[in-house]
């Protein structure tokens, strides 16, 4: 596990790689991520054969670009892929042709609002070809010349070298607890030369994994699964090839666009007022004086649409700072990334995970009021007045209907204070810990 000076320094290592859905540079990105992941995560990659069916989708071909450029008829090269992978529309078809301006112009893309920036565009499933350039350069190109358009690209269907994803799992103290299930963290790796979208989420996920490895969740908690891959199709392919994990998933967070200066936004689950939503709102309000909140898939729609979507339906929130003006352009670079805001997103995500994944439903095994002082469960009011006054209320909630977080919320005490106290009852055999049930496949 490599050390690092900052999250931005990790981001810089893979930022300008041509990270498309399936490509050699995606593989290099997974290698970089893996070098920073903790050994205890047992980080691995999975390969899916191109064109193989995955639910209602098909795995895309591996995209290989040998070279791509646009030059005038007198040999002046005006756009070159080797200078920036954004210069071609991702998954462009091959072409080698001399064109008039009128023939070429429909294949050029630029951004009117950011005239000095190169836009990022793609044609994954509706195949065509094209070049991306700044509006400033577009306006300068002569209209009376012919242009030589060259894209030497290849669509490989080698089953041994297809589309890949990467995953690691970190267990709580004492190892996995199958009854508690798993929590999943996700971010995208497939956006070339985009720092905030979503290199920021990737590096936040790495930092979160390292924190949970260094300080594991309490024994009996959920395991935490860390997933990296291409948007939408990556999660579809992963779940289609690993349907057995779906019933074990209890919740998830998608981390996206976490480094820019916008306020942090909570995008709620599809359930809309799930326990995960309440915990997330509690945590984000504690860490951020200002934050935004929105409905499912209405702030920054990402792979929560699959995780929390039809036939899967695992409660999944997202944390992001979307929208931002540099989105999908070459201006989405390291200059707009702020280390303190990356770390703020990690702090929020970490506390959400620590609470949600360690939470459970304490269910009593006793009758009548517990003889507190006889079992070392009485709390001296002179040492902790608030907890002393809440004891009766807490015991009344051990009926198998309330989680530890619910109880803490209802008595107005910190989650960890209440959990530590409830754990004393559990150690005496007065309550049993019932895991949070799975909602997978329940629509």
């Amino acid at each position: 596990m490599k050390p690092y000076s900052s999250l931005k320094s990790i981001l810089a290592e893979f930022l300008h790689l041509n990270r498309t859905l399936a490509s050699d540079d995606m593989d290099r990105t997974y290698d970089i991520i893996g070098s920073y992941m903790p050994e205890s995560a047992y980080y691995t990659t999975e390969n899916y054969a191109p064109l193989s069916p995955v639910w209602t989708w098909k795995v895309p071909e591996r995209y290989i670009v040998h070279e791509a450029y646009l030059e005038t008829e007198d040999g002046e090269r005006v756009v070159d892929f080797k200078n920036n992978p954004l210069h071609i529309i991702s998954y462009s078809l091959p072409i080698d042709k001399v064109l008039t301006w009128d023939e070429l112009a429909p294949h050029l893309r630029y951004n009117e609002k950011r005239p000095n920036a190169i836009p990022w565009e793609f044609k994954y499933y509706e195949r065509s070809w094209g070049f991306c350039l700044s509006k400033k350069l577009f306006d300068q190109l002569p209209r009376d010349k012919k242009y030589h358009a060259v894209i030497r690209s290849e669509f490989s269907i080698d089953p041994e070298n297809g589309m890949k994803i990467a995953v690691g799992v970190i267990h709580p103290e004492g190892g996995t607890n199958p009854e508690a299930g798993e929590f999943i963290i996700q971010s995208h790796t497939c956006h070339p030369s985009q720092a905030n979208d979503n290199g920021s989420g990737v590096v936040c996920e790495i930092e979160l994994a390292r924190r949970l490895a260094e300080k594991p969740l309490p024994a009996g908690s959920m395991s935490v699964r860390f997933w990296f891959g291409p948007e939408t199709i990556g999660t579809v392919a992963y779940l289609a090839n690993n349907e057995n994990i779906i019933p074990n998933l209890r919740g998830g967070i998608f981390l996206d666009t976490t480094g820019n200066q916008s306020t942090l936004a909570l995008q709620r689950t599809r359930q809309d007022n799930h326990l995960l939503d309440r915990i997330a709102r509690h945590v984000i309000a504690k860490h951020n004086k200002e934050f935004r909140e929105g409905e499912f898939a209405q702030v920054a729609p990402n792979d929560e649409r699959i995780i929390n979507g039809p036939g899967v339906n695992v409660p999944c929130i997202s944390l992001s700072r979307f929208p931002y003006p540099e989105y999908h352009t070459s201006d989405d670079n390291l200059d707009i990334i702020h280390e303190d805001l990356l770390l703020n997103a990690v702090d929020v995500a970490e506390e959400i995970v620590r609470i949600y994944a360690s939470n459970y439903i304490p269910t009593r095994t006793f009758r009548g009021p517990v003889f507190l002082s006889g079992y070392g469960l009485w709390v001296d009011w002179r040492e902790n007045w608030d907890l002393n006054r809440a004891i009766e209320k807490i015991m009344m909630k051990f009926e198998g209907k309330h989680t530890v977080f619910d109880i803490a919320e209802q008595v107005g005490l910190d989650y960890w204070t209440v959990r530590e106290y409830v754990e004393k009852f559990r150690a005496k055999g007065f309550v049993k810990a019932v895991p949070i049930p799975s909602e997978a496949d329940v629509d």
Side-chain angles (χ1 to χ4, degrees):
M1 183 173 64
K2 289 167 59 176
Y4 53 87
S5 59
S6 67
L7 297 184
K8 285 180 69 171
S9 69
I10 304 175
L11 206 168
E13 288 189 42
F14 61 81
L15 174 58
H16 295 298
L17 295 177
N18 186 32
R19 297 173 282 116
T20 57
L21 298 182
S23 67
D24 292 348
D25 276 356
M26 275 284 271
D27 294 354
R28 294 185 184 100
T29 301
Y30 294 138
D31 289 342
I32 293 168
I33 294 169
S35 71
Y36 290 103
M37 286 289 284
E39 287 84 353
S40 60
Y42 296 101
Y43 176 89
T44 59
T45 59
E46 294 186 12
N47 176 71
Y48 310 121
L51 304 183
S52 60
V54 284
W55 292 346
T56 64
W57 297 65
K58 287 185 178 180
V59 174
E61 306 96 316
R62 174 168 287 246
Y63 188 54
I64 302 165
V65 182
H66 300 288
E67 64 175 341
Y69 58 85
L70 180 66
E71 60 185 14
T72 61
E73 58 187 329
D74 54 8
E76 180 188 357
R77 194 162 293 193
V78 293
V79 167
D80 198 331
F81 170 81
K82 70 181 181 182
N83 295 331
N84 193 317
L86 299 185
H87 272 313
I88 65 168
I89 295 176
S90 193
Y91 272 68
S92 280
L93 295 167
I95 187 172
D96 187 342
K97 195 172 183 180
V98 176
L99 305 164
T100 65
W101 174 258
D102 290 341
E103 293 171 324
L104 173 66
H107 295 275
L108 300 181
R109 301 288 186 271
Y110 52 85
N111 188 308
E112 289 275 9
K113 294 181 179 179
R114 305 192 73 82
N116 294 311
I118 306 166
W120 174 52
E121 297 209 13
F122 48 88
K123 290 285 185 180
Y124 296 145
Y125 309 110
E126 181 187 337
R127 295 289 163 77
S128 182
W129 66 271
F131 292 92
C132 297
L133 67 169
S134 69
K135 179 62 164 59
K136 182 178 179 180
L137 177 57
F138 177 85
D139 290 341
Q140 292 173 350
L141 293 179
R143 272 52 172 171
D144 58 350
K145 289 187 177 182
K146 290 185 177 181
Y147 292 83
H148 186 199
V150 175
I151 299 176
R152 294 195 173 94
S153 59
E154 179 183 340
F155 297 82
S156 172
I157 57 172
D158 176 7
E160 301 300 320
N161 202 25
M163 185 187 74
K164 297 180 181 179
I165 64 90
V167 67
V169 181
I170 294 179
H171 299 301
E173 290 181 348
T176 182
N177 177 11
E179 290 186 356
E182 294 184 348
F183 194 90
I184 189 167
I185 310 291
Q186 290 191 288
S187 57
H188 289 149
T189 51
C190 60
H191 296 17
S193 289
Q194 303 294 283
N196 203 37
D197 183 20
N198 186 24
S200 63
V202 169
V203 297
C204 285
E205 193 173 346
I206 291 170
E207 170 69 11
L208 180 54
R210 291 171 72 120
R211 291 185 185 186
L212 292 180
E214 182 178 354
K215 183 183 177 183
L217 290 165
S221 299
M222 300 173 191
S223 296
V224 182
R225 184 171 294 264
F226 292 87
W227 183 97
F228 306 88
E231 185 170 1
T232 306
I233 185 59
T235 299
V236 169
Y238 177 65
L239 293 180
N241 281 277
N242 296 277
E243 291 191 357
N244 61 300
I245 76 165
I246 296 174
N248 297 327
L249 295 176
R250 300 293 187 268
I253 296 177
F254 194 92
L255 293 171
D256 182 44
T257 60
T258 53
N260 59 298
Q261 284 190 309
S262 298
T263 55
L264 196 62
L266 165 64
Q267 180 179 273
R268 298 191 297 271
T269 67
R270 183 182 176 203
Q271 288 79 358
D272 202 55
N273 193 30
H274 191 268
L275 173 65
L276 180 56
D277 296 306
R278 289 167 39 222
I279 291 174
R281 188 181 297 114
H282 165 78
V283 171
I284 195 172
K286 173 182 171 182
H287 285 267
N288 297 62
K289 291 182 179 179
E290 295 181 3
F291 70 95
R292 293 173 291 124
E293 187 175 338
E295 295 178 359
F296 179 73
Q298 296 301 306
V299 178
N302 279 298
D303 286 29
E304 76 286 335
R305 297 171 299 116
I306 299 100
I307 293 292
N308 206 166
V312 182
N313 205 34
V314 173
C316 188
I317 62 169
S318 82
L319 297 175
S320 74
R321 300 185 191 278
F322 190 82
Y324 61 104
E326 300 86 357
Y327 176 67
H328 278 198
T329 73
S330 57
D331 287 343
D332 186 346
N333 54 45
L334 289 174
D335 291 342
I336 71 167
I337 302 296
H338 300 268
E339 187 76 13
D340 61 327
L341 298 179
L342 292 174
L343 293 172
N344 169 254
V346 178
D347 291 343
V348 170
E350 180 186 8
E351 187 166 356
I352 292 170
V353 172
R354 288 195 181 278
I355 293 176
Y356 188 81
S358 67
N359 195 23
Y360 59 85
I361 303 169
T363 304
R364 65 172 176 80
T365 61
F366 61 87
R367 288 182 177 177
V370 174
F371 178 25
L372 297 175
S373 58
Y375 289 92
L377 296 172
W378 185 69
V379 176
D380 192 327
W381 57 269
R382 287 161 296 208
E383 296 178 4
N384 192 332
W385 171 267
D386 292 335
L387 183 56
N388 173 276
R389 304 310 297 168
I391 290 175
E392 293 293 336
K393 292 180 181 179
I394 291 172
M395 282 195 295
M396 295 296 179
K397 300 295 182 181
F398 293 163
E399 297 298 324
K401 298 179 181 179
H402 305 279
T403 71
V404 177
F405 180 81
D406 294 331
I407 296 170
E409 197 174 45
Q410 289 165 18
V411 300
L413 294 178
D414 174 71
Y415 169 80
W416 295 107
T417 298
V418 174
R419 189 183 191 280
E420 181 181 8
Y421 187 58
V422 174
E423 282 288 285
K424 292 179 180 179
F425 278 80
R426 188 158 78 100
K428 299 293 184 180
F430 292 139
V431 299
K432 58 183 179 180
V434 177
I436 296 171
S438 169
E439 296 195 27
D441 297 318
V442 179
D443 287 315

